Amino acid sequence: MKPFRLPPVWILNAFASFCLMLIQVLSGRALAPFLGTSVYTWTSVIGATLIGLTFGQYAGGLIADRKGGRRALSVTFLASGIAALSARFALSFLSTKLADYPMDLAFRSIMLAIVVFAPVAFFLSMVGPQLAKFAVEELRASGTAIGRLSAAGAVGSLLGIGLGGYILIAALGTNLLLSSVAIALLLLGAYLAAGERVLNWRAAGFLFVAAIGSLLLPGVCKLESNYYCIRITTEGAEEKPRFTLRLDHLLHSYVSPREPANLGYGYEQVYARLIASRYVQGDQFHAYFIGGGGFVLPRYLEAFYPKATSTVSEIDPAVIEANHHFMELKTSSRIIAIPGDARRHLMRNEDAPYDLVFGDAFNDFGVPQHLTTLEFHQLLKSRMKPDGVYALNLIDDARYGNFLAAMIKTLRQVWKYVEVAPLESELLPGRNTIVLMASDTPLDAKRFAQADTPSFEFEPENPSIESSSKRLTPEQIEEFLATHENVPILTDDYAPLDRYLSPVFRDAY
């Protein structure tokens, strides 16, 4: 077969750089269902890419000097496509096993990133040195040629990051997008290989079948957005279904739409007790929710406090869509669901003031820093009524406790009273959920302890109704803070949450 004309080298470099950066962006999203979206995940993805780049560029230079030419370039693009296909199959068949393998979380993250995505970076980064040799030899103006080649690569990288992060991942999903990149690389490699005796019909047929097969592999996500891989499972009888919502790897919510008293988690029972200690079913009040998830507590309010108003800020519109389409949140619901960041919503001051605010945006590995700081809580308080209460749940381990101590200190800068409800009589070692309640009026301890909430029977490992009334005494709080004197107040300028939470998640996973 007569070889086709070689495209301009700057176009080839731009395309290779586009694919490399696109895969780096989608690799973090692709690993999120198995590892979460912590600093570990992104550090591992970037590290794996850099490992591939380091060895790939060196190998590409050697090939350019020894066997440089169209044949070597076609093999490099074909190998890049095969590596991307292998990554797609590895995500389907190996990721769950590797993610659950009993090893340190950081080591597990870097191993999974290297196994799945480093080979793609290795082969794609071999392209640049070979194209540089082409440019210098053909154009005979090395400075201009290399400059144009580098600029084209930078433009391709920008397009890969921009289109991938803002458009392609949300439009196609990581699995289909990875398969599409693989197919594009294979087609380009086959184009360059024409007349070079690189591919025989059997090899070409095998690659064609593998490429089509990768498109047909099922993904793990029900919906995929720029924020989460959303997975939903259904359990229970048809007349009383129970939905389980996972955002990335985190089991976020148990949702029983036809049994709204089943709140699912112990911290939600604390929230229900707080509501019952302040209001009866006929009262009017306005509750604001930072984070929607499965809309469990807003559904509870709608069922048992019909005159209450619930406004929910959910960062991911796809989560709201999932609730409506798959988890029986009726479009006629009185719950006001607002897609977008809670801090931006509060800055607009659209529907304040609020009687109650519930924070549920701290998702396991991912803690939004801008929702933890002194400046945020000052803004939040300005949107609340003078006797309003802010309740939030967070995850920490009493063996470390830096995040919890920092949050207590920060809240105390804004509100006079900060209560700590660990769902036990004391802070216990191990990764636990803890509820904080902040207000300028003291919590009525008697009414809180005796609050009459709907019956709660769900998961056997969840706390009982009695345990949801337990709070630390002032002495216990002061004793805890005394052991964390060096922990600072969190500000927009300084909030080292990843450092505080790394040992917690490392031990837990």
Side-chain angles (χ1 to χ4, degrees):
M1 180 185 294
K2 183 179 180 180
F4 298 105
R5 181 180 178 183
L6 185 71
V9 292
W10 63 270
I11 290 181
L12 291 175
N13 199 44
F15 179 72
S17 299
F18 171 84
C19 292
L20 178 61
M21 287 298 102
L22 179 59
I23 286 178
Q24 183 174 10
V25 171
L26 72 82
S27 60
R29 291 294 316 126
L31 294 179
F34 313 103
L35 298 172
T37 53
S38 70
V39 66
Y40 287 132
T41 307
W42 285 108
T43 300
S44 300
V45 165
I46 295 170
T49 302
L50 290 175
I51 290 172
L53 283 170
T54 301
F55 291 99
Q57 289 181 343
Y58 182 77
L62 293 177
I63 291 174
D65 284 340
R66 298 178 182 179
K67 297 182 179 180
R70 181 173 183 140
R71 179 184 176 87
L73 189 62
S74 67
V75 171
T76 302
F77 274 109
L78 286 171
S80 300
I82 293 170
L85 272 184
S86 300
R88 175 67 186 92
F89 283 97
L91 286 172
S92 292
F93 300 112
L94 296 179
S95 292
T96 301
K97 294 181 180 179
L98 287 174
D100 292 338
Y101 196 78
M103 66 174 70
D104 179 80
L105 176 62
F107 186 70
R108 193 187 325 161
S109 300
I110 188 64
M111 286 301 297
L112 188 55
I114 288 175
V115 169
V116 178
F117 289 108
V120 191
F122 172 79
F123 288 112
L124 281 174
S125 61
M126 290 174 60
V127 172
Q130 296 180 62
L131 293 177
K133 185 74 177 293
F134 268 108
V136 172
E137 290 180 348
E138 292 184 4
L139 301 180
R140 297 180 182 178
S142 60
T144 302
I146 296 301
R148 183 184 300 171
L149 198 68
S150 299
V155 171
S157 297
L158 286 172
L159 288 174
I161 293 172
L163 291 177
Y166 292 111
I167 298 174
L168 294 178
I169 291 177
L172 301 178
T174 55
N175 294 319
L176 180 58
L177 184 55
L178 183 56
S179 293
S180 300
V181 171
I183 291 171
L185 289 169
L186 290 173
L187 289 175
L188 178 57
Y191 175 88
L192 296 175
E196 298 292 336
R197 296 182 179 179
V198 173
L199 280 176
N200 58 37
W201 288 110
R202 289 184 179 180
F206 175 79
L207 290 178
F208 175 79
V209 171
I212 298 301
S214 72
L215 293 173
L216 301 177
L217 285 175
V220 299
C221 309
K222 189 78 171 181
L223 293 174
E224 190 168 3
S225 69
N226 285 333
Y227 295 96
Y228 301 115
C229 166
I230 301 172
R231 291 179 282 175
I232 300 169
T233 56
T234 304
E235 302 173 357
E238 184 177 350
E239 62 274 10
K240 291 183 179 180
R242 180 182 73 176
F243 303 104
T244 301
L245 172 67
R246 287 184 180 271
L247 302 180
D248 288 336
H249 90 299
L250 175 68
L251 202 166
H252 188 281
S253 302
Y254 294 106
V255 184
S256 293
R258 303 176 200 182
E259 297 179 296
N262 287 344
L263 295 176
Y265 283 118
Y267 75 84
E268 292 171 321
Q269 187 64 30
V270 177
Y271 289 171
R273 183 176 292 278
L274 172 64
I275 296 167
S277 71
R278 294 174 62 87
Y279 302 105
V280 297
Q281 292 189 3
D283 288 346
Q284 293 183 343
F285 59 93
H286 193 176
Y288 179 59
F289 296 87
I290 302 172
F295 286 68
V296 176
L297 200 63
R299 297 175 196 247
Y300 171 87
L301 279 184
E302 186 175 39
F304 296 103
Y305 297 87
K307 293 186 179 181
T309 300
S310 295
T311 301
V312 181
S313 284
E314 169 54 54
I315 187 72
D316 190 352
V319 172
I320 300 175
E321 178 186 348
N323 275 273
H324 285 303
H325 289 177
F326 305 111
M327 293 188 289
E328 297 188 0
L329 181 62
K330 298 178 180 178
T331 55
S332 59
S333 170
R334 292 181 291 104
I335 300 170
I336 304 169
I338 301 173
D341 179 69
R343 187 160 176 171
R344 290 178 61 86
H345 175 77
L346 292 170
M347 291 173 66
R348 293 193 297 265
N349 193 24
E350 292 180 346
D351 49 10
Y354 307 113
D355 298 280
L356 295 171
V357 177
F358 298 98
D360 191 12
F362 298 171
N363 294 335
D364 198 30
F365 288 124
V367 176
Q369 175 181 317
H370 67 297
L371 301 183
T372 67
T373 64
L374 176 65
E375 293 85 350
F376 168 73
H377 291 113
Q378 290 171 335
L379 170 65
L380 176 60
K381 184 179 180 181
S382 72
R383 304 300 188 248
M384 296 172 62
K385 292 183 178 178
D387 62 344
V389 180
Y390 173 44
L392 71 153
N393 70 87
L394 56 85
I395 295 172
D396 207 342
D397 187 329
R399 294 174 296 175
Y400 308 105
N402 291 321
F403 180 36
L404 174 60
M407 286 300 299
I408 294 173
K409 290 182 179 181
T410 304
L411 292 174
R412 281 185 167 184
Q413 296 294 309
V414 182
W415 286 278
K416 294 180 181 178
Y417 303 95
V418 178
E419 301 277 355
V420 181
L423 305 178
E424 297 289 345
S425 57
E426 59 181 335
L427 291 172
L428 298 178
R431 179 174 170 271
N432 292 296
T433 300
I434 302 155
V435 175
L436 302 181
M437 293 174 282
S439 66
D440 278 339
T441 56
L443 186 69
D444 190 321
K446 184 177 180 180
R447 291 188 63 181
F448 184 82
Q450 297 177 353
D452 184 17
T453 60
S455 177
F456 174 61
E457 294 181 1
F458 205 69
E459 294 294 317
E461 67 268 21
N462 283 333
S464 66
I465 292 178
E466 289 73 21
S467 67
S468 68
S469 67
K470 294 180 179 179
R471 295 169 294 129
L472 296 187
T473 65
E475 293 76 18
Q476 287 176 308
I477 297 175
E478 295 305 322
E479 181 181 352
F480 169 73
L481 292 178
T483 62
H484 296 80
E485 293 181 351
N486 295 327
V487 174
I489 294 167
L490 302 175
T491 66
D492 286 347
D493 183 59
Y494 185 67
L497 303 184
D498 286 328
R499 178 159 58 86
Y500 290 165
L501 289 172
S502 289
V504 181
F505 298 134
R506 183 189 62 231
D507 291 352
Y509 293 94

